[in-house]
mmCIF file of all heavy atoms in Angstrom:
data_model
loop_
_atom_site.group_PDB
_atom_site.id
_atom_site.type_symbol
_atom_site.label_atom_id
_atom_site.label_comp_id
_atom_site.label_asym_id
_atom_site.label_seq_id
_atom_site.Cartn_x
_atom_site.Cartn_y
_atom_site.Cartn_z
ATOM 1 N N LEU B 86 -1.475 28.399 1.133
ATOM 2 C CA LEU B 86 -0.316 29.277 1.272
ATOM 3 C C LEU B 86 0.943 28.526 1.299
ATOM 4 O O LEU B 86 2.095 29.218 1.040
ATOM 5 C CB LEU B 86 -0.561 30.169 2.477
ATOM 6 C CG LEU B 86 -1.545 31.176 2.378
ATOM 7 C CD1 LEU B 86 -1.764 31.987 3.621
ATOM 8 C CD2 LEU B 86 -1.130 32.215 1.322
ATOM 9 N N THR B 87 0.931 27.292 1.687
ATOM 10 C CA THR B 87 2.192 26.479 1.642
ATOM 11 C C THR B 87 2.438 25.883 0.331
ATOM 12 O O THR B 87 3.268 24.926 0.182
ATOM 13 C CB THR B 87 2.219 25.472 2.784
ATOM 14 O OG1 THR B 87 1.070 24.661 2.620
ATOM 15 C CG2 THR B 87 2.320 26.106 4.091
ATOM 16 N N ARG B 88 1.672 26.283 -0.645
ATOM 17 C CA ARG B 88 1.854 25.809 -2.037
ATOM 18 C C ARG B 88 1.821 24.302 -2.121
ATOM 19 O O ARG B 88 2.791 23.701 -2.620
ATOM 20 C CB ARG B 88 3.170 26.362 -2.707
ATOM 21 C CG ARG B 88 3.010 27.835 -2.695
ATOM 22 C CD ARG B 88 3.895 28.398 -3.680
ATOM 23 N NE ARG B 88 4.053 29.823 -3.243
ATOM 24 C CZ ARG B 88 5.192 30.427 -3.208
ATOM 25 N NH1 ARG B 88 6.315 29.744 -3.520
ATOM 26 N NH2 ARG B 88 5.319 31.672 -2.745
ATOM 27 N N ALA B 89 0.944 23.702 -1.493
ATOM 28 C CA ALA B 89 0.771 22.291 -1.477
ATOM 29 C C ALA B 89 0.356 21.847 -2.904
ATOM 30 O O ALA B 89 -0.305 22.474 -3.565
ATOM 31 C CB ALA B 89 -0.254 21.716 -0.491
ATOM 32 N N PRO B 90 0.769 20.589 -3.275
ATOM 33 C CA PRO B 90 0.330 20.013 -4.571
ATOM 34 C C PRO B 90 -1.122 19.835 -4.476
ATOM 35 O O PRO B 90 -1.675 19.189 -3.497
ATOM 36 C CB PRO B 90 1.179 18.819 -4.732
ATOM 37 C CG PRO B 90 1.625 18.458 -3.381
ATOM 38 C CD PRO B 90 1.746 19.752 -2.688
ATOM 39 N N ILE B 91 -1.863 20.193 -5.468
ATOM 40 C CA ILE B 91 -3.272 20.009 -5.479
ATOM 41 C C ILE B 91 -3.676 18.507 -5.685
ATOM 42 O O ILE B 91 -4.532 18.066 -5.146
ATOM 43 C CB ILE B 91 -3.922 20.925 -6.501
ATOM 44 C CG1 ILE B 91 -3.723 22.484 -6.155
ATOM 45 C CG2 ILE B 91 -5.413 20.709 -6.622
ATOM 46 C CD1 ILE B 91 -4.294 22.787 -4.801
ATOM 47 N N GLY B 92 -2.927 17.930 -6.654
ATOM 48 C CA GLY B 92 -3.330 16.611 -6.984
ATOM 49 C C GLY B 92 -2.849 15.593 -5.971
ATOM 50 O O GLY B 92 -2.683 15.946 -4.848
ATOM 51 N N ARG B 93 -2.745 14.420 -6.405
ATOM 52 C CA ARG B 93 -2.327 13.383 -5.465
ATOM 53 C C ARG B 93 -0.883 13.345 -5.197
ATOM 54 O O ARG B 93 -0.075 13.460 -6.174
ATOM 55 C CB ARG B 93 -2.916 12.083 -6.003
ATOM 56 C CG ARG B 93 -2.184 10.900 -5.934
ATOM 57 C CD ARG B 93 -2.914 9.750 -6.852
ATOM 58 N NE ARG B 93 -4.325 9.871 -6.897
ATOM 59 C CZ ARG B 93 -5.085 9.112 -6.172
ATOM 60 N NH1 ARG B 93 -4.598 8.319 -5.270
ATOM 61 N NH2 ARG B 93 -6.394 9.158 -6.293
ATOM 62 N N SER B 94 -0.401 13.321 -4.004
ATOM 63 C CA SER B 94 0.993 13.393 -3.723
ATOM 64 C C SER B 94 1.328 12.158 -2.899
ATOM 65 O O SER B 94 0.607 11.738 -1.986
ATOM 66 C CB SER B 94 1.360 14.690 -2.932
ATOM 67 O OG SER B 94 0.453 14.893 -1.872
ATOM 68 N N ALA B 95 2.510 11.660 -3.124
ATOM 69 C CA ALA B 95 2.923 10.364 -2.606
ATOM 70 C C ALA B 95 3.543 10.519 -1.188
ATOM 71 O O ALA B 95 3.652 9.550 -0.459
ATOM 72 C CB ALA B 95 3.848 9.604 -3.585
ATOM 73 N N ASP B 96 4.036 11.697 -0.878
ATOM 74 C CA ASP B 96 4.920 11.749 0.321
ATOM 75 C C ASP B 96 4.207 12.443 1.505
ATOM 76 O O ASP B 96 4.721 13.172 2.228
ATOM 77 C CB ASP B 96 6.176 12.494 0.013
ATOM 78 C CG ASP B 96 5.882 13.901 -0.516
ATOM 79 O OD1 ASP B 96 4.730 14.109 -0.899
ATOM 80 O OD2 ASP B 96 6.786 14.691 -0.543
ATOM 81 N N LEU B 97 2.928 12.118 1.678
ATOM 82 C CA LEU B 97 2.150 12.724 2.781
ATOM 83 C C LEU B 97 2.388 11.937 3.999
ATOM 84 O O LEU B 97 2.208 12.422 5.093
ATOM 85 C CB LEU B 97 0.646 12.799 2.440
ATOM 86 C CG LEU B 97 0.256 13.904 1.408
ATOM 87 C CD1 LEU B 97 -1.158 13.906 1.378
ATOM 88 C CD2 LEU B 97 0.780 15.231 1.890
ATOM 89 N N ASP B 98 2.812 10.664 3.878
ATOM 90 C CA ASP B 98 2.960 9.818 5.097
ATOM 91 C C ASP B 98 4.484 9.685 5.302
ATOM 92 O O ASP B 98 5.274 9.641 4.439
ATOM 93 C CB ASP B 98 2.363 8.524 4.861
ATOM 94 C CG ASP B 98 0.878 8.475 4.969
ATOM 95 O OD1 ASP B 98 0.389 9.404 5.661
ATOM 96 O OD2 ASP B 98 0.210 7.626 4.367
ATOM 97 N N SER B 99 4.779 9.672 6.625
ATOM 98 C CA SER B 99 6.170 9.468 6.974
ATOM 99 C C SER B 99 6.552 7.916 6.965
ATOM 100 O O SER B 99 5.667 7.121 6.787
ATOM 101 C CB SER B 99 6.485 10.122 8.220
ATOM 102 O OG SER B 99 5.942 9.417 9.264
ATOM 103 N N GLY B 100 7.762 7.651 7.300
ATOM 104 C CA GLY B 100 8.150 6.308 7.141
ATOM 105 C C GLY B 100 7.696 5.337 8.270
ATOM 106 O O GLY B 100 7.642 4.166 8.093
ATOM 107 N N ASN B 101 7.239 5.999 9.369
ATOM 108 C CA ASN B 101 6.831 5.172 10.484
ATOM 109 C C ASN B 101 5.319 4.904 10.595
ATOM 110 O O ASN B 101 4.722 4.983 11.546
ATOM 111 C CB ASN B 101 7.300 5.755 11.826
ATOM 112 C CG ASN B 101 6.953 7.301 11.843
ATOM 113 O OD1 ASN B 101 6.139 7.752 10.998
ATOM 114 N ND2 ASN B 101 7.551 7.948 12.715
ATOM 115 N N ARG B 102 4.726 4.608 9.320
ATOM 116 C CA ARG B 102 3.360 4.348 9.310
ATOM 117 C C ARG B 102 2.954 3.161 10.150
ATOM 118 O O ARG B 102 1.846 3.166 10.779
ATOM 119 C CB ARG B 102 2.887 4.312 7.881
ATOM 120 C CG ARG B 102 1.842 5.260 7.608
ATOM 121 C CD ARG B 102 1.552 5.295 6.103
ATOM 122 N NE ARG B 102 0.947 4.043 5.665
ATOM 123 C CZ ARG B 102 0.809 3.870 4.326
ATOM 124 N NH1 ARG B 102 1.304 4.640 3.513
ATOM 125 N NH2 ARG B 102 0.266 2.696 3.987
#
Side-chain angles (χ1 to χ4, degrees):
Chain B
L86 285 178
T87 53
R88 299 202 201 132
I91 294 299
R93 141 192 322 265
S94 48
D96 58 344
L97 287 183
D98 285 337
S99 69
N101 46 14
R102 234 171 68 194

